[in-house]
Amino acid sequence: MPDLQLRVDRAAGGLADQIAAELRTAVRSGRLAAGVRLPASRDLARDLGTSRGVVVEAYQQLVAEGFLVSRQGSGTRVAAVRPAASPDGAAPSPIARRRPVHDLTVGTPDLASFPRRAWLAAVRQVMTEAPHEALGYGDPGGVPELRAELAGYLRRVRAADVTARELVVVNGVAQGLHLVVGALARAGPIHLAVEDPHSVRTYELLESAGAVRVPVPVDDDGLDVAALRRTPARAVMVTPAHQYPTGVVLSPRRRAELIAWAEAVDGLVLEDDYDAEFRYDRNPVGCLQGLSPRRVVLLGSVSKSLAPGLRLGWLAAPPALAEAVRHARAVRDLGSPVIDQHALARLIACGAYDRHLRQMRRRYRARRDALADALARRLPAAVTRGVPAGIQLYIELPPGHDEAAVVEAAARRGVAVEGVAPLRVAHPGPPALVLGFARLPEHRIEEAVRLLADAVGSQEPGGAVRRD
Ligand SMILES: Cc1ncc(COP(=O)(O)O)c(C=O)c1O
């Protein structure tokens, strides 16, 4: 299946026209070559989150215009249209040509599935109903309506032990971590234990907040708490529901040991609950904070559930720390944008947030299943680790492979993937990849994995490296 790379704005309406316009441009520019078969209307409709009728209408329009041909039994194909030069006569830019055909990089959810209509309705409701005063400086810790909704949501979905009082609204987990570490490190740098490997995005962030990172290894049960005990750290950052990037879950025993460690050292656990909404084989494990609200700071955001661009998140902390963070926001930036906070509160209150999550769970689960299945068939020597959850999948390559060379070879084949070596701090591990599947529609997964398997095969250790 070709990568259609269709950009449609569902909020703008006229979807069939938009799809037709995008396909027309792709055919004219030569990006979709003559003879290429387009996805079945049902598949494309599912990927775009629209009805099949909309796609059928777009296809019919282009058949009528001569861009596509449709034949019984052989589907819809690109007609023999001569590509036109771009308006200024120049060739397509190198940047356009270098875009990966299959993007399996991590960290971003399926932005095409953002619930635009529901968000728009929530914003419209806020703008219609909120009094003028609501547009003034809000509580720097977050508007009370959102904190109340979040507290209810986190109690219900994450088994958190929290009320609106201990909650602070922040601009994502990133800002929450920065503020919490900053508060802990007020008197000078602190040792902060981190999982090894862990998200590269937090390296500089933590250090700039005053943390000296102390890497602690991760195994199949999550963070090695015995190793943590041997460090000088009294604070640790963990991703217990779905370790990033290995995908393992902190085992029940380790959860108990971690809380016991925090009690013993009079310390604190920073729980990065970045993608816990998405678990596909069972209900997600409740958050650690629910076990020990005195010892755990829970951090979460809508970056994986809605969109990272919203920059909306929360933290639940013991009251004194929550107050310190709230005070820091009052001093530094006076809080998060209030209209978006009210909109999120309404989205949760009216049930649209839960509905969106249910829909995305189904969609991501299908994508993950398709990816795991294709990997098992085409790359049987690679080992998939971790639980079925989140929006990325961790695989270990057969021993001896050069991880960076595989990433390069995949890129040359149009598949963007990320290696795990850059996320390892002090404990070496096997060559591995972390594959983000949120944005890859099911109909493209087989082809992406075929190319990835070819890239891995081209770097067979011990054998001659195959030229691409
Ligand atoms: C494991 C992990 N934690 C936290 C973050 C930051 O998230 P946010 O957008 O909520 O600041 C990321 C971002 O990709 C992440 O991968």
Side-chain angles (χ1 to χ4, degrees), residues 429-454:
L433 302 176
V434 56
L435 308 174
F437 53 80
R439 286 162 298 151
L440 202 61
E442 270 164 85
H443 74 260
R444 279 174 39 210
I445 287 174
E446 190 67 33
E447 176 66 359
V449 173
R450 185 185 71 75
L451 292 166
L452 178 61
D454 190 58

Side-chain angles (χ1 to χ4, degrees), residues 9 35 37 42 72 75 91 95 108 111 119 142 182 223 230 242 295 297 348 382 430 446 460:
D9 177 356
R37 184 175 176 161
R42 193 185 313 271
Q72 198 79 40
I95 291 173
T108 308
L111 300 176
W119 185 261
L223 183 93
R230 294 191 289 273
H242 189 221
R295 293 292 170 197
V297 178
I348 298 172
E446 190 67 33
E460 224 39 87

Side-chain angles (χ1 to χ4, degrees), residues 5 29 31 90-101 411-412 414:
Q5 298 183 13
S29 69
R31 189 157 60 75
S93 81
I95 291 173
R97 267 190 277 119
R98 262 193 272 119
R99 260 186 65 180
V101 179
R412 283 196 297 277

